[in-house]
Amino acid sequence: MGIRLLLAETSNLRTMLETKQPVVVYDTYSCPGWKRMPTTDWLRSNVSAPISIYGEIIGFICLDGQEAEF
């Protein structure tokens, strides 16, 4: 998809980086911090988790759904 998301501008990624906990977004359209873009506007729900090694976050795994509350 060629998308780059900055941690400072992407609330769910920033939250996982700070808390080291998964984040569930039941409806991206009603989530105040969700960054909507034309290429990802089909996304309606999301669950994401940080990937860590020895306590350091090295990435994220994100699963997206086309339906709200999926």
Side-chain angles (χ1 to χ4, degrees), residues 3-61:
I3 298 171
R4 291 186 147 204
L5 301 172
L6 300 175
L7 289 173
E9 298 174 5
T10 311
S11 65
N12 63 320
L13 299 180
R14 189 177 58 250
T15 298
M16 288 187 290
L17 184 65
E18 292 169 357
T19 66
K20 299 182 177 169
Q21 296 295 312
V23 171
V24 177
V25 178
Y26 294 99
D27 187 353
T28 60
Y29 286 18
S30 64
C31 180
W34 189 264
K35 186 174 182 175
R36 291 181 63 185
M37 297 178 280
T39 55
T40 61
D41 205 41
W42 61 271
L43 286 169
R44 288 300 307 271
S45 55
N46 170 274
V47 61
S48 302
I51 301 169
S52 67
I53 295 178
Y54 302 114
E56 181 182 346
I57 304 298
I58 61 163
F60 306 97
I61 185 165

